[in-house]
Amino acid sequence: MAGVSTKEIKNRIRSMESTKQITKAMEMVAASKLRRAQAQVLSSRPYFEILYSTINEIVDNNSDFTSAYLVKRPVKKSLYVVIAGDRGLAGGYNSNILKLVYAEMQGKNATVLPIGKKAVDFFRARKMPMLSADHMVAEDIGVGDCFTIAKTVCKAYKEGQFDEVFVGYTNFVSVLSQTPATLQMLPLLRQETSRAASGSDILYEPGSVEVFDAIIPEYVGGILYGALCESRASEQAARRTAMDSATQNADEMIADLSLKFNRARQAAITQEITEIVAGS
Amino acid sequence: MTSFPLKIVTPDGLEYDGKAEEVCVRTTSGELGVLAGHLNMVAPLGMGMATIVIDGKKRYAACIGGMISVMNKEVTLVPTTFEWAEEIDVKRAEASEERAKKVLADKAAEKTEIRMAEARLKRALIRKSTATFVNN
């Protein structure tokens, strides 16, 4: 009886060890990807911030509401661009962002534009209307793709298919903390707190409608790219942390099992000796 | 000459943050020069060469897409791509030019392909001309 149990424990230890090797390898892959993603976030952040503040400044000082991008319409349909990962095993990364966006969508007539395989799968399973499911692989999307997506989104908004557009992404706060968030991209609204048109009129070259028509898609593209960089770094950071704790758990279980194994072996030896002694 | 604060940012990072005396860019409605004390202004950028005067020295760059804004005497340039003339890879631009020309010569090419090739050709030509302009 003791023999069977040592064998069983041995098998479990072996399988645990191979799992540990996998999680360890995944952790190391994520760590190296994280380094690259982190560098990308750091270099794209000034662009993201300056673009955002410049556009907001322009909008706040704007007193001309002829552009469709700046006018609030009664909301009938909303569009959510949701950025998640392509693969699982990244702790709560995918479920956090998807849950947040899904909760926000309730009660709205919402359409999604998912980016990343996990996002596509999630919304497909819930039978949400999708603008397109072409962006299955979040890892391959570059700046150019962001601008293409932005153009499509802006066109749909201008044609009145949607009355507001949000982006759902994960903010990369630090390696240990990532927070999911949503950001309204369209329409661009004047903040109530901003000084009311203080006579600092802006010159639009050639005209305000042309300027906004040209700039807003660029702005949306830039924001999307920034959100994508943040999300990608968050995914790698989340995966690294998850895999690190998985490796630790495996270590703990292996230690526990080896203790049990040694005890079982000892018990078997003791039993054998007792039998021999009793028989002589 | 009086200088003004200038910031140039692209998705690849902060290209320049400091003082400048003059910025000359190509907007969608033509060449535009900005000096210190310019009125608040916004304009979308086209494709072309940008000239920036820093400490009396002219620097050239290929500047494509995006926008320029002047706000409270501060100039912000937010292009989609921005490359200083010295950093342009002429060989790459030439290769891209060749590829685009090949697509344009192809009668069977699709409309979207042609449009993309045209844009690529234009970008490549701007890069090339900016780089050669500086070298001569």
Side-chain angles (χ1 to χ4, degrees):
Chain A
M1 216 214 99
V4 176
S5 114
T6 47
K7 202 179 167 197
E8 245 170 35
I9 293 170
K10 222 178 191 170
N11 277 341
R12 282 194 65 193
I13 291 178
R14 206 171 295 146
S15 91
M16 202 63 72
E17 245 151 23
S18 60
T19 310
K20 188 185 131 188
Q21 267 172 358
I22 294 170
T23 56
K24 186 95 195 158
M26 282 183 75
E27 187 209 327
M28 277 179 329
V29 170
S32 86
K33 279 190 181 167
L34 173 64
R35 257 197 302 277
R36 215 178 324 142
Q38 228 173 337
Q40 211 178 19
V41 164
L42 288 182
S43 69
S44 76
R45 251 185 204 161
Y47 176 74
F48 197 38
E49 275 158 13
I50 290 177
L51 186 67
Y52 189 76
S53 63
T54 314
I55 291 278
N56 274 315
E57 210 172 350
I58 294 168
V59 171
D60 286 349
N61 281 306
N62 178 49
S63 46
D64 179 358
F65 292 101
T66 38
S67 176
Y69 295 122
L70 308 181
V71 184
K72 198 173 180 173
R73 298 194 289 233
V75 177
K76 279 181 251 118
K77 282 192 87 178
S78 318
L79 176 70
Y80 280 86
V81 181
V82 186
I83 305 170
D86 302 321
R87 257 162 270 157
L89 291 177
Y93 170 73
N94 285 313
S95 72
N96 282 349
I97 178 66
L98 293 173
K99 251 186 227 155
L100 177 86
V101 175
Y102 194 63
E104 227 173 87
M105 276 178 191
Q106 296 310 310
K108 280 187 183 174
N109 187 359
T111 306
V112 281
L113 176 55
I115 295 175
K117 191 167 179 295
K118 284 282 162 186
V120 175
D121 290 347
F122 179 88
F123 291 109
R124 193 169 277 161
R126 281 160 186 76
K127 302 209 166 36
M128 299 284 288
M130 277 189 237
L131 190 62
S132 100
D134 298 342
H135 308 289
M136 286 289 268
V137 190
E139 218 164 307
D140 294 345
I141 291 178
V143 196
D145 298 299
C146 285
F147 285 111
T148 318
I149 297 170
K151 262 183 214 146
T152 327
V153 168
C154 287
K155 197 167 153 242
Y157 175 81
K158 238 186 139 190
E159 283 168 355
Q161 287 183 36
F162 307 107
D163 304 301
E164 51 177 7
V165 181
F166 293 89
V167 60
Y169 67 105
T170 310
N171 233 328
F172 179 75
V173 183
S174 74
V175 177
L176 292 174
S177 144
Q178 303 90 32
T179 47
T182 56
L183 181 75
Q184 183 166 4
M185 292 199 293
L186 292 174
L188 278 160
L189 297 177
R190 252 170 93 151
Q191 272 135 30
E192 294 299 328
T193 48
S194 73
R195 61 213 149 100
S198 55
S200 59
D201 281 336
I202 304 173
L203 189 69
Y204 297 101
E205 194 69 46
S208 75
V209 175
E210 287 89 343
V211 167
F212 283 117
D213 280 1
I215 284 177
I216 302 296
E218 296 269 347
Y219 163 75
V220 172
I223 295 292
L224 276 181
Y225 181 67
L228 192 72
C229 287
E230 295 273 336
S231 293
R232 269 198 291 228
S234 300
E235 180 184 358
Q236 297 309 338
R239 176 163 300 130
R240 213 206 67 150
T241 325
M243 288 303 117
D244 186 38
S245 61
T247 312
Q248 265 172 28
N249 283 345
D251 268 335
E252 254 168 52
M253 282 178 86
I254 289 171
D256 195 39
L257 284 174
S258 342
L259 196 70
K260 272 194 191 142
F261 173 76
N262 285 340
R263 256 192 216 138
R265 196 191 50 178
Q266 206 65 53
I269 294 169
T270 317
Q271 200 184 354
E272 244 169 70
I273 291 174
T274 329
E275 272 163 17
I276 293 164
V277 172
S280 63
Chain B
M1 244 161 82
T2 13
S3 58
F4 53 83
L6 169 73
K7 268 192 195 131
I8 303 174
V9 271
T10 71
D12 296 326
L14 195 62
E15 292 287 341
Y16 184 75
D17 188 2
K19 298 263 177 206
E21 285 108 58
E22 189 189 334
V23 174
C24 196
V25 286
R26 186 170 189 97
T27 67
T28 46
S29 50
E31 291 286 333
L32 174 92
V34 176
L35 294 171
H38 198 284
L39 202 68
N40 285 354
M41 182 209 60
V42 201
L45 295 176
M47 293 176 165
M49 190 172 74
T51 315
I52 290 151
V53 182
I54 301 163
D55 285 331
K57 263 170 65 187
K58 274 190 180 177
R59 286 192 77 183
Y60 302 94
C63 174
I64 296 162
M67 63 175 209
I68 180 169
S69 90
V70 186
M71 272 293 174
N72 308 321
K73 317 243 183 286
E74 275 182 34
V75 180
T76 318
L77 199 58
V78 194
T80 318
T81 57
F82 186 91
E83 287 162 287
W84 292 111
E86 311 85 80
E87 289 161 13
I88 292 174
D89 188 344
V90 182
K91 282 213 181 89
R92 221 189 99 208
E94 271 166 359
S96 163
E97 185 190 336
E98 282 305 309
R99 252 182 296 137
K101 276 188 177 157
K102 218 175 261 170
V103 175
L104 291 177
D106 186 5
K107 289 250 160 57
E110 275 181 49
K111 244 186 188 164
T112 47
E113 265 179 59
I114 289 178
R115 239 195 351 237
M116 277 168 79
E118 271 170 357
R120 195 168 338 120
L121 181 63
K122 223 168 167 184
R123 283 198 295 267
L125 288 177
I126 287 162
R127 282 204 185 98
K128 219 173 98 179
S129 65
T130 308
T132 45
F133 180 83
V134 170
N135 291 335
N136 296 333

